[in-house]
Amino acid sequence: MAAGDSFLEPRTLKWSPQDLCMGMNVSKSEITKETSLKPSRRSLPCLAQSYAYSKSLSQSTSLFQSTESESQAPTSVTLLSAGKAEPVNAEEDKKDSVLKCSFADLSDFCLALGKDKDYMDESEHANYDRSRLIRDSVPRDNSESKAKLSKNDMNYIASSGLLFKDGKKRIDYILVYRKSNIQYDKRNTFEKNLRAEGLMLEKEPAVANSDIMFIKIHIPWDTLCKYAERLNIRMPFRKKCYYTDRRSKSMGSVQNYFRRIKKWMAQNPMVLDKSAFPNLQESDCYTGPFSRARIHHFIINNKDTFFSNATRSRIVYHMLQHTKYENGISKVGICKLINNGSYIAAFPPHEGAYKSSQPIKTHGPQNNRHLLYERWARWGMWYKHQPLDLIRLYFGEKIGLYFAWLGWYTGMLIPAALVGLCVFFYGIFTMNGSQVSQEICKATEVFMCPLCDKNCSLQRLNESCIYAKVTYLFDNGGTVFFAIFMAIWATVFLEFWKRRRSTLTYTWDLIEWEEEEETLRPQFEAKYYKMERVNPISGKPEPHQPSSDKITRLLVSISGIFFMISLVITAVFAVVVYRLVVMEQFASFKWNFIKQHWQFATSAAAVCINFVIIMALNLAYEKIAYLLTNLEYPRTESEWENSFALKMFLFQFVNLNSSIFYIAFFLGRFVGHPGNYNKLFNRWRLEECHPSGCLIDLCLQMGVIMFLKQIWNNFMELGYPLIQNWWSRHKIKRGIQDASIPQWENDWNLQPMNIHGLMDEYLEMVLQFGFTTIFVAAFPLAPLLALLNNIIEIRLDAYKFVTQWRRPLPARATDIGIWYGILEGIGILAVITNAFVIAITSDYIPRFVYEYKYGPCASRFEYGENCLKGYVNNSLSFFDLSELGMGKSGYCRYRDYRGPPWSSKPYEFTLQYWHILAARLAFIIVFEHLVFGIKSFIAYLIPDVPKNLYDRIRREKYLVQEMMYEAELEHLQQQRRKSGHPVHHEWP
């Protein structure tokens, strides 16, 4: 339902009893003052749920007293309280008999809140069959336990320093500035405007640093309600009722049987103990856009806990972002004040310490942060599932979705890692029996031509025996199968993630949260405030960016992107020149080991230098991407994040993979032949592949970059914050002794979250996904390395968020943003690159052509390992050493398919070369079409939203509309009765 839609127009009430579902949350005194409307049969369980809740609410709400000490302006809202309820006598109780059943009987209609139960659609005139109702009753509200829990929470908040000095107002946000900063006029104006908006501020100096001043911000109830309505925040207003269908009834006995068997089975050690986590009941309620005029619809047990900490922080941040600090349209927002130094930080406080001297098993968690640390962030919990609901409650939906995606990706890597490991072990077990490896290891009389012009000598082919065996580990019969498997795996991973995401968005009540509810960025409003147009969704005027201005800025941004990509290509070219220069030097090196393995030394040194260049360029890319994104003036924060993320991905993807693409598809392809080598700038001879092939160089490049980058990322994510936080604590201990540091000051001493939020986290994992899929045919161990890294990454990120970083703003999101589109693009690119790696980089196609066309089995139609006998000799061409001018005679061999010196066309491509080239092109076409067809078919078979979830969402939308309409109708009749107007007891 749109936020601006009215739930009821009194002059248009045209409903039938069958179209309404009774029930609203009112006090018992209001129930007994009127004759209840006759409900429809279909709405009876909803009425029972609401009626039972209203009776318990009148008893429990008296236990919760408002902690607001400030006087608030009177509103039209009347909070439910037992103290204002009138005593209920027998006559009034008799009026409630219209429900035709006692409260005990009605309580049987309160159904389980399980998320995998379906609705039952019955005819309007059908009678309910109680045997078809789910027997798991909804936990009734225990007013005493809730009151005790609320008091304990408030006591802990007070003891943790999370309240104002009066001990009543909770701290929702913290601003930090230095007293020595001279921009006090801007701060004073900003703080004055914040108070005018309804916020309450309290200043307190830091304990450890006399120059630091903290501003504690509290948002009162009325201001919360006003901005919750303005931001269309959805709040719970009714408990959910679920029904079973006939299939569930027939399957009940079978399910009970399996449930009994499950009790005898050992508990899955990976599953979290749900009894240790709070009962998160927000997902068990229907929700609607909050409205002060319709506040009687919503379930308000306690004003202090009705809006969660995450919601309160989001509202305060919205106010901070849209408050002016000087005259002028562009002088607005806390971000600009932080940039110009007026403030040095702004953050919501953590809920307390993450460690406790008392064990959590016996004394329970002190707060949600403590619970997250003990059950999620500790390294000992690495094998456990993640408490996603609690992560979402504490850090917000956006961070919750990130960890849900990361956990899903890590779980999906398990089958990929196992298959890759099987392919690798297959190569190990069959390595000694490989015909190609045996021929290379036994070729003691075969001399290879020199690989460089000056310092290289003839090399026996059997000296490449070890490299040939290692190459076989990654280039064997399972390579093609594994490449196809990984292409299908990427599709299955993305398709099932969409289903998982749809389930999470439903559970976390994000179905109705759309981009239209996002507010404009203050920078966008300040830039285009003079140009307005009517928003087609809201119908209200808002700033608008002209198309010509938008296209111009996009063109400038795209030009900057291409410039940076060209810079990356230039860096790769420089590394290539380095390889050509040092190749001669390593071949004549004094150390015998380097001289014998000069090709390996050249590749290893080039990889390390390339990694240093990659990390250095990443620093420049981030700043340039930031400038280009701000130049575009995106409309909303999500548009800014998507634009920035796309630029960073393009920069770093090209930066990381450009050298890998060079080795895979260009190294050794255009070198010429002995006696007529191609040279760069007519000076440096182009580099050739190793006699055993180019695949070993590709594996080395991928393995080193992947390993070093993961180590560097893990150090920067955890090691660097740990060092900084240790130094901050060291300075505090040195400067002050035996002082109680309040919670907000402890948070200030932590490191702030990255300025770009989750962009760095997603970028790291998406680039890893590229390594795992794009060149997996050349490195089947990539999924295993990614799996091991991600198991560490999850706990590392959890530890970092809970212990080392200030609490980030709990932002909302419905998906992972532009990253899903990037992942799909990587999946498509992976199919193409793996096809080219198998066809061009590996020797799979030359071996295939030899086996079926030129080998000993070509005419006998017998295929096996012996059919490759003579393949090595067939793949090497002859060259006359006398043509080199080295004073040697005889012949040397080189990798190519050219005619021998004694042929009519010496050193020209043979017919076998063209056969192999045609086979390579045919393989690429067939492989791509086959894999793309399988991917498309799988994507078609797997729906984005599970069928039962799709039906449940539609059913709930229908029920929510009916409940809101009916609650408003009953409320209007109560108002008419109070004002003395006649009330119609029948449906209008």
Side-chain angles (χ1 to χ4, degrees), residues 139-195:
R140 293 181 175 85
D141 296 334
N142 190 332
S143 58
E144 294 182 1
S145 62
K146 284 189 175 182
K148 182 179 180 180
L149 179 63
S150 178
K151 291 179 180 178
N152 290 339
D153 290 343
M154 295 304 295
N155 291 337
Y156 179 75
I157 290 174
S159 63
S160 301
L162 297 176
L163 298 176
F164 275 27
K165 293 180 180 179
D166 60 4
K168 297 181 179 179
K169 305 181 190 68
R170 71 163 63 191
I171 301 173
D172 297 309
Y173 226 86
I174 296 293
L175 301 181
V176 188
Y177 69 90
R178 297 186 184 277
K179 298 177 183 178
S180 57
N181 187 276
I182 61 175
Q183 303 189 48
Y184 51 84
D185 290 335
K186 294 180 181 179
R187 288 196 301 269
N188 291 339
T189 303
F190 185 70
E191 294 165 12
K192 180 180 179 181
N193 292 335
L194 289 178
R195 291 188 179 95

Side-chain angles (χ1 to χ4, degrees), residues 394-405:
Y394 193 82
F395 292 109
E397 289 80 1
K398 193 171 185 177
I399 295 178
L401 275 175
Y402 163 72
F403 281 103
W405 175 83

Side-chain angles (χ1 to χ4, degrees), residues 451 579-587 598 602 685 687:
L451 296 178
R579 294 171 66 111
L580 300 181
V581 172
V582 301
M583 183 171 58
E584 297 277 355
Q585 305 300 323
F586 282 152
W598 62 269
T602 301
R685 173 180 162 182
E687 187 179 3

